Amino acid sequence: MQEGLSHPKSQFSSWFLEVVSRAGLADLRYGVKGFIVHLPPAVQAMKAMYRLYEQELERRGHKPYWFPAVIPESCFQLEKEHVEGFAPEVFWITQHGDQEELGEKLALRPTSETGIYRMFSLWIRSWKDLPLKLYQSCQVWRHETKATKPFIRGREFWWIEAHDAFATREEAEKQVLEDMEMTERVMHQEFGIPFIFFKRPEWDKFAGAVHTYAADSLMPDGRIIQQPSTHLLGQNFSKPFQILYTDEKGEKKHVWQTCYGPCIWRMLASVIAIHGDDKGLVFPFKIAPVQVVIIPVSQDTAVIKKCKEIYEKVRERFRAELDLTDRTPGWKFNEWELRGAAIRIEIGPKELQTKTLTLCRRDTGSRLCVQEYELLEEIEKLGEELTQNLIKRADEWFSSQVQDAKTLDEVRKKAGKGFLRVPWCSIDEKGRECAERLKEQFALHVRGVRVDKQEKPEGKCIICGKPAGCIVYIGRQY
Amino acid sequence: MQEGLSHPKSQFSSWFLEVVSRAGLADLRYGVKGFIVHLPPAVQAMKAMYRLYEQELERRGHKPYWFPAVIPESCFQLEKEHVEGFAPEVFWITQHGDQEELGEKLALRPTSETGIYRMFSLWIRSWKDLPLKLYQSCQVWRHETKATKPFIRGREFWWIEAHDAFATREEAEKQVLEDMEMTERVMHQEFGIPFIFFKRPEWDKFAGAVHTYAADSLMPDGRIIQQPSTHLLGQNFSKPFQILYTDEKGEKKHVWQTCYGPCIWRMLASVIAIHGDDKGLVFPFKIAPVQVVIIPVSQDTAVIKKCKEIYEKVRERFRAELDLTDRTPGWKFNEWELRGAAIRIEIGPKELQTKTLTLCRRDTGSRLCVQEYELLEEIEKLGEELTQNLIKRADEWFSSQVQDAKTLDEVRKKAGKGFLRVPWCSIDEKGRECAERLKEQFALHVRGVRVDKQEKPEGKCIICGKPAGCIVYIGRQY
């Protein structure tokens, strides 16, 4: 009998590492801290996730680019706050060949603003060149000092970065909203990851941004994981990088910019964590590495033949596997549940006789008998139902993870699980000290003010006791 | 009027650089030697090329992996010949943050054998783990000292590397043949790039290989460009990396390995060079960044409306553009020919009246009238005809580029254009000196012995005059 996971999902940290390794998503033994080897199911899932995100970005007018992985030091240092924010994490290429020094050090990109915006200054001349909306799907590298965890925090990860330039601040602000819509459209409606978009406090902005908005999701242990953020960069980069356009009246003006960073790698972490169960991985249908697995429940020649026939049919439209190894059907059921195959087709003598097929859904384990001629449509339908069920389940759990806390005492009692909704003095600079005290005393972070609805402040700041200027959400973070 | 290219294709070098820039494939002004910015059409073409190649690799049992971009120095140096071959070109990451030294220097991968094969030694235990066939699509970085040219030679480029391990030498040798078949299937039959596969001479093998087989194609100026190579690595890596399996009798043995490196980036160079013409880019249909462009030939409201309607229909299935800018139809025709849009749909009052559409093919310029209801099928059909025509044209030209030369005198007369087929002493070590003399005197390189057919040696080695042991092909190389 194939052994199940040794940790239930309620022991989240251990479960997560075990499922990543047992289901063959990643190998952590590469030998360089924070760098992992991505195994086929992880690559397949991420490729499907990239496709969905790229489609959405292109549908909204972004074009695909590939920029170099390196940024020259002089260029990297042009925006002061940005360089201060990222410099500590940069890997530097300084030599080539046999210890020969490079003319200029090259940063292995930790993010690409400084490399890309120098090109913006060459590309943008007139108002007719605007808006300029582009993205690249790529890896970035950051010398993280915190503990690294596969798909959650690493020194090398896979993401998308979208960089947009506009003639006016209004258009840039609209782009920030569009970025939030894309997050909802893809991360929530396709990947089933629930989130709340927050306007981040002044002291927690992206290095170089005017405002930062970030989608926070939760892990099953109640800790917060930051998913995509979108930043209103204003003219903070267009000034040092001299990105100017001539408007319709012939005046030269600096462009307004935004950037948006959906991290596919980290979204996979949320997919694993949110949808998985005690048996292993569960994926929304469209991004499942294996959408359909076909398992013969007898070694009968006619059964095997039918399995192969069905496999050939199914793989034309779906990512499919046919398991003809010499394990028992029970072993195979467990193994493919562990790996998160979305739909299992069982074929035995009974199925041959009745000319039907038995489909089993990974999320509910429920079985369905279908006629052969309707198989592909039924898979499609069942896949969609599975996805919708995962989204519903995730949403229900997520909304149960928000609690009110009006005083420090209540915070103390409820801290650690999900979000606490608390009255707060301010998310401007003047609230920073309260945030630092909250962090020191409770290891809790201020995530910011909700973007999707205005919440009326009531009561007093839980730290300084001044009248609340806003409602913020706090929690433990990854 | 949109200006045509200022260089005809017969001035190949200038034409190539002009078309890369005018058709918006790449921007060479990034400011780091050998690193270029890839603009949307280049990314779109390469993404389509990657998809076709990955499909073929997966169809033949390769699974997708992503390995880290860095290789620790100690690991990089395990195979002696390999490190000697690649070390001069390696970019080294030595620092992080503010000039802090890394514990161990990291090579930015110039190729991934040494990083991947250490994992092989962890993954392979028994004969049941074999064969192991995998690939990754990724970038590699090499500090080239030769002049860099976009898509031809750069310090950063995009490729696929496939790495396979087998129980026996015979299986590994079969894989080498399969790699050649895949090259034929995708590079020739999909991308239309003709080639000859050569067994490379001893002195021109991949660093660490037992044998190297490489597909040489030609550029329009008659110079040779190396396309994918596949290498029989034998046990040269499995010994230092200790990749051992236990066979069915319980004996421990070293695996036999192969690796194969189709470089999508460089294939794009061949696509541009081979299919392009005096008007600009021409792409095989499946990989064209723009498969269909729709151009209204009048500003009539009904015409514009019809254009939009057709565009919505066409983009469901093809990469399509609708050009509604205020340029003249003639300007647009030229512009989209320059950019290599495969099929142009012209819509004007006449088309509205007759409920037909006029399609124009990029390769021949010929026009075809189709009914609206059959549009998508006709595009598909025309696209396939276009591709087949490009392949045929390329093949005819390519086979005209092989000439015989029996003496040094003939070589002198014919040198520089395409391949010369010459009698040669040997492609083993003992032929090296002749090859060096040929290179010094004529700047000609020995490409090796044809793999697809046995050619009987006749006459004398053109250099040393000894009886010919083989027929080799020689030429100028990129």
Side-chain angles (χ1 to χ4, degrees):
Chain A
M1 199 65 195
Q2 161 69 316
E3 299 264 331
L5 293 171
S6 55
H7 300 91
K9 196 177 164 187
S10 52
Q11 294 165 16
F12 176 66
S13 246
S14 313
W15 175 91
F16 186 83
L17 282 176
E18 190 185 6
V19 83
V20 161
S21 125
R22 288 281 306 282
L25 293 176
D27 194 314
L28 312 188
R29 297 172 295 173
Y30 187 71
V32 184
K33 183 178 152 51
F35 289 78
I36 66 175
V37 177
H38 297 79
L39 304 178
V43 177
Q44 286 154 343
M46 281 194 275
K47 279 169 81 169
M49 293 166 79
Y50 265 118
R51 264 195 301 275
L52 290 166
Y53 236 110
E54 291 175 354
Q55 266 171 24
E56 185 68 20
L57 282 157
E58 294 188 16
R59 212 172 61 76
R60 294 177 189 255
H62 293 83
K63 296 273 185 192
Y65 285 66
W66 289 344
F67 289 87
V70 302
I71 301 171
E73 189 180 20
S74 56
C75 192
F76 185 70
Q77 291 179 334
L78 274 177
E79 207 289 325
K80 203 177 136 285
E81 280 184 27
H82 183 75
V83 67
E84 276 170 17
F86 281 99
E89 295 185 351
V90 171
F91 283 100
W92 289 104
I93 305 164
T94 64
Q95 301 176 356
H96 67 93
D98 187 16
Q99 304 206 27
E100 291 185 63
E101 299 295 317
L102 288 175
E104 181 177 14
K105 287 206 291 189
L106 300 171
L108 202 51
R109 64 172 169 235
T111 178
S112 308
E113 281 73 13
T114 51
I116 293 178
Y117 298 164
R118 222 178 60 85
M119 299 310 296
F120 274 24
S121 73
L122 299 173
W123 293 336
I124 296 170
R125 288 280 165 270
S126 122
W127 60 276
K128 288 184 187 168
D129 300 323
L130 298 173
L132 177 59
K133 296 173 69 163
L134 62 82
Y135 76 91
Q136 74 169 338
S137 295
C138 66
Q139 293 146 267
V140 288
W141 298 270
R142 296 180 186 174
H143 192 273
E144 283 283 353
T145 48
K146 293 189 195 164
T148 59
K149 267 208 170 81
F151 307 112
I152 295 174
R153 178 174 285 116
R155 292 188 171 178
E156 174 180 59
F157 58 87
W158 274 252
W159 79 347
I160 298 173
E161 46 185 323
H163 297 273
D164 299 356
F166 302 92
T168 63
R169 180 175 177 129
E170 291 66 43
E171 286 170 278
E173 282 172 349
K174 252 170 96 176
Q175 184 57 46
V176 165
L177 295 177
E178 185 179 273
D179 294 344
M180 294 183 197
E181 277 168 39
M182 289 192 281
T183 311
E184 165 61 24
R185 201 23 232 103
V186 186
M187 190 170 85
H188 184 222
Q189 291 174 29
E190 299 283 5
F191 307 161
I193 304 171
F195 64 86
I196 300 172
F197 244 110
F198 294 108
K199 181 178 180 187
R200 286 275 188 260
E202 265 315 286
W203 57 88
D204 192 22
K205 293 184 317 187
F206 175 75
V210 174
H211 293 307
T212 285
Y213 305 86
D216 280 336
S217 189
L218 290 171
M219 286 304 213
D221 60 2
R223 281 162 78 193
I224 295 164
I225 182 164
Q226 173 173 316
Q227 289 290 356
S229 48
T230 166
H231 314 285
L232 180 69
L233 301 179
Q235 298 178 317
N236 288 353
F237 285 85
S238 64
K239 285 179 180 167
F241 283 85
Q242 302 189 41
I243 315 174
L244 291 142
Y245 73 98
T246 309
D247 73 6
E248 296 181 69
K249 294 178 203 141
E251 265 178 72
K252 280 205 179 275
K253 290 181 172 166
H254 288 99
V255 300
W256 293 84
Q257 292 177 268
T258 62
C259 64
Y260 171 53
C263 182
I264 298 298
W265 199 69
R266 197 168 232 209
M267 288 186 198
L268 179 58
S270 280
V271 165
I272 298 166
I274 289 175
H275 304 309
D277 61 22
D278 288 349
K279 292 176 173 179
L281 298 174
V282 183
F283 289 97
F285 188 69
K286 281 192 201 161
I287 64 172
V290 178
Q291 296 179 298
V292 180
V293 63
I294 295 155
I295 297 177
V297 297
S298 112
Q299 285 306 309
D300 190 275
T301 324
V303 167
I304 301 297
K305 197 174 148 236
K306 173 57 75 183
C307 282
K308 286 183 182 166
E309 187 193 317
I310 296 293
Y311 171 62
E312 290 304 326
K313 195 168 157 184
V314 170
R315 73 189 293 207
E316 289 288 305
R317 199 144 118 197
F318 305 103
R319 285 181 294 277
E321 293 281 346
L322 166 60
D323 189 343
L324 293 182
T325 58
D326 54 8
R327 307 286 197 168
T328 64
W331 193 95
K332 291 179 188 176
F333 289 3
N334 289 349
E335 175 69 12
W336 289 102
E337 277 172 0
L338 170 61
R339 291 174 175 267
I343 292 170
R344 176 172 79 223
I345 305 184
E346 304 166 9
I347 304 178
K350 202 195 84 202
E351 278 80 12
L352 285 197
Q353 255 180 18
T354 55
K355 284 192 178 295
T356 59
L357 296 162
T358 304
L359 308 190
C360 179
R361 253 170 79 168
R362 173 62 181 90
D363 58 332
T364 56
S366 65
R367 281 181 155 72
L368 181 70
C369 245
V370 306
Q371 300 291 318
E372 223 183 287
Y373 71 86
E374 57 183 2
L375 177 63
L376 298 185
E377 287 64 45
E378 285 298 325
I379 291 175
E380 197 78 66
K381 230 174 77 185
L382 214 58
E384 184 56 27
E385 280 173 35
L386 176 152
T387 303
Q388 293 310 322
N389 180 47
L390 293 186
I391 296 174
K392 191 165 151 271
R393 226 162 63 174
D395 286 353
E396 281 168 11
W397 164 75
F398 189 76
S399 48
S400 75
Q401 301 293 307
V402 181
Q403 299 178 73
D404 285 315
K406 299 221 158 25
T407 64
L408 261 192
D409 241 21
E410 283 186 63
V411 167
R412 201 170 283 123
K413 277 178 206 143
K414 299 174 177 173
K417 281 302 234 181
F419 294 104
L420 295 181
R421 219 176 139 271
V422 303
W424 195 258
C425 51
S426 167
I427 59 165
D428 293 342
E429 252 331 302
K430 55 182 183 276
R432 183 196 286 264
E433 214 179 300
C434 289
E436 277 163 7
R437 280 173 54 197
L438 184 73
K439 191 175 153 193
E440 260 166 46
Q441 288 178 33
F442 300 93
L444 291 170
H445 288 256
V446 177
R447 312 306 294 179
V449 170
R450 258 187 118 110
V451 176
D452 58 342
K453 54 180 170 190
Q454 283 221 323
E455 297 189 300
K456 217 182 124 190
E458 267 172 18
K460 292 172 179 168
C461 173
I462 53 162
I463 302 289
C464 65
K466 287 186 195 144
C470 55
I471 298 291
V472 300
Y473 287 58
I474 63 176
R476 297 246 152 86
Q477 74 176 11
Y478 261 87
Chain B
M1 199 65 195
Q2 161 68 315
E3 297 265 331
L5 293 170
S6 54
H7 300 91
K9 196 178 164 187
S10 53
Q11 295 165 14
F12 176 66
S13 247
S14 313
W15 174 89
F16 185 83
L17 283 175
E18 189 184 5
V19 84
V20 162
S21 125
R22 288 281 307 280
L25 293 176
D27 194 314
L28 312 187
R29 297 171 294 172
Y30 188 70
V32 184
K33 183 179 152 49
F35 289 76
I36 66 175
V37 177
H38 297 78
L39 304 178
V43 177
Q44 285 154 344
M46 282 194 274
K47 280 170 82 170
M49 292 166 81
Y50 264 118
R51 264 196 301 274
L52 290 166
Y53 236 110
E54 291 176 354
Q55 267 171 24
E56 185 69 20
L57 282 157
E58 294 188 16
R59 210 172 64 75
R60 295 178 189 254
H62 293 82
K63 297 273 186 192
Y65 285 67
W66 289 343
F67 289 87
V70 303
I71 302 171
E73 188 179 20
S74 55
C75 192
F76 185 70
Q77 291 180 334
L78 274 177
E79 207 288 326
K80 202 177 136 285
E81 281 183 26
H82 182 77
V83 67
E84 277 170 16
F86 281 99
E89 294 184 353
V90 171
F91 283 100
W92 290 103
I93 304 164
T94 64
Q95 301 177 357
H96 67 92
D98 187 16
Q99 304 205 28
E100 291 186 63
E101 300 294 317
L102 288 174
E104 181 177 13
K105 286 206 291 190
L106 300 171
L108 202 52
R109 65 172 168 235
T111 179
S112 308
E113 282 73 13
T114 51
I116 294 179
Y117 298 165
R118 222 177 60 85
M119 298 311 295
F120 274 24
S121 73
L122 300 172
W123 294 336
I124 297 170
R125 288 279 165 270
S126 123
W127 60 276
K128 288 183 187 168
D129 300 324
L130 298 173
L132 177 59
K133 295 171 70 163
L134 62 82
Y135 77 89
Q136 74 169 338
S137 295
C138 66
Q139 292 147 268
V140 288
W141 297 270
R142 297 181 187 173
H143 192 274
E144 284 282 353
T145 47
K146 294 189 196 165
T148 58
K149 268 208 169 83
F151 308 112
I152 295 174
R153 176 173 288 116
R155 291 188 172 177
E156 173 179 60
F157 58 87
W158 274 251
W159 78 347
I160 298 174
E161 46 185 323
H163 297 273
D164 298 356
F166 303 92
T168 63
R169 178 173 177 131
E170 291 65 43
E171 285 170 278
E173 282 172 347
K174 253 170 93 177
Q175 184 58 47
V176 165
L177 294 178
E178 185 179 271
D179 294 344
M180 293 182 198
E181 278 168 38
M182 289 192 281
T183 311
E184 166 60 24
R185 201 22 233 103
V186 186
M187 189 171 83
H188 185 221
Q189 292 174 28
E190 299 282 5
F191 307 162
I193 304 172
F195 63 86
I196 301 172
F197 243 111
F198 295 108
K199 181 178 180 189
R200 286 276 188 256
E202 262 321 283
W203 58 87
D204 193 22
K205 293 185 317 189
F206 176 75
V210 174
H211 293 306
T212 285
Y213 305 86
D216 280 336
S217 189
L218 290 171
M219 287 303 214
D221 59 2
R223 280 163 80 191
I224 294 163
I225 182 162
Q226 173 171 316
Q227 288 293 354
S229 47
T230 165
H231 314 286
L232 181 70
L233 301 179
Q235 297 178 317
N236 288 353
F237 285 86
S238 63
K239 285 177 181 169
F241 282 87
Q242 302 188 41
I243 314 174
L244 291 142
Y245 73 98
T246 309
D247 72 7
E248 296 182 67
K249 295 177 201 144
E251 264 178 73
K252 280 206 179 273
K253 289 180 172 166
H254 288 99
V255 301
W256 293 85
Q257 291 177 268
T258 61
C259 64
Y260 171 52
C263 182
I264 298 298
W265 200 68
R266 198 169 233 210
M267 288 185 198
L268 180 56
S270 280
V271 165
I272 297 167
I274 290 176
H275 303 310
D277 61 22
D278 288 349
K279 292 177 172 177
L281 298 174
V282 183
F283 289 98
F285 187 69
K286 281 193 202 161
I287 64 173
V290 178
Q291 297 179 297
V292 180
V293 63
I294 296 155
I295 298 177
V297 297
S298 111
Q299 286 307 310
D300 189 275
T301 323
V303 167
I304 301 297
K305 196 174 150 235
K306 173 58 75 180
C307 283
K308 286 183 182 167
E309 185 193 320
I310 296 294
Y311 171 63
E312 289 306 325
K313 194 167 158 186
V314 170
R315 72 190 293 206
E316 289 288 305
R317 199 143 119 199
F318 304 103
R319 287 183 291 279
E321 294 282 347
L322 167 60
D323 189 342
L324 293 183
T325 57
D326 54 8
R327 307 288 196 167
T328 64
W331 193 98
K332 292 179 188 177
F333 289 3
N334 289 349
E335 175 70 12
W336 290 102
E337 279 172 358
L338 170 62
R339 292 175 174 265
I343 292 170
R344 177 173 78 224
I345 305 184
E346 303 166 10
I347 303 179
K350 201 194 84 200
E351 279 78 12
L352 285 196
Q353 254 180 19
T354 55
K355 285 193 176 294
T356 58
L357 295 164
T358 305
L359 308 189
C360 179
R361 254 168 79 167
R362 173 63 180 88
D363 58 332
T364 58
S366 64
R367 282 183 153 73
L368 181 69
C369 244
V370 305
Q371 300 291 319
E372 224 183 286
Y373 71 86
E374 57 182 4
L375 177 63
L376 298 185
E377 287 64 45
E378 285 297 325
I379 290 174
E380 197 80 67
K381 231 173 78 187
L382 213 59
E384 184 54 27
E385 280 172 35
L386 176 152
T387 303
Q388 292 311 320
N389 180 48
L390 293 187
I391 296 175
K392 191 166 152 270
R393 227 162 61 173
D395 286 354
E396 282 168 10
W397 164 75
F398 188 77
S399 49
S400 75
Q401 301 293 307
V402 181
Q403 300 179 74
D404 286 315
K406 298 220 157 30
T407 63
L408 261 193
D409 240 24
E410 284 187 62
V411 167
R412 199 169 288 123
K413 277 179 206 142
K414 298 173 178 174
K417 279 303 234 180
F419 295 106
L420 295 181
R421 220 177 138 268
V422 303
W424 194 256
C425 51
S426 169
I427 60 164
D428 293 341
E429 249 336 298
K430 57 180 182 277
R432 183 196 285 264
E433 212 179 301
C434 288
E436 277 163 8
R437 279 172 56 196
L438 184 72
K439 190 175 153 194
E440 260 166 47
Q441 288 178 34
F442 301 93
L444 291 170
H445 288 255
V446 177
R447 312 307 293 180
V449 170
R450 260 186 116 109
V451 176
D452 58 342
K453 55 180 172 190
Q454 284 220 322
E455 296 189 302
K456 217 181 123 192
E458 267 172 18
K460 292 170 177 169
C461 172
I462 53 163
I463 302 289
C464 65
K466 286 184 194 146
C470 56
I471 297 292
V472 299
Y473 287 58
I474 62 176
R476 296 247 152 85
Q477 75 176 9
Y478 260 86

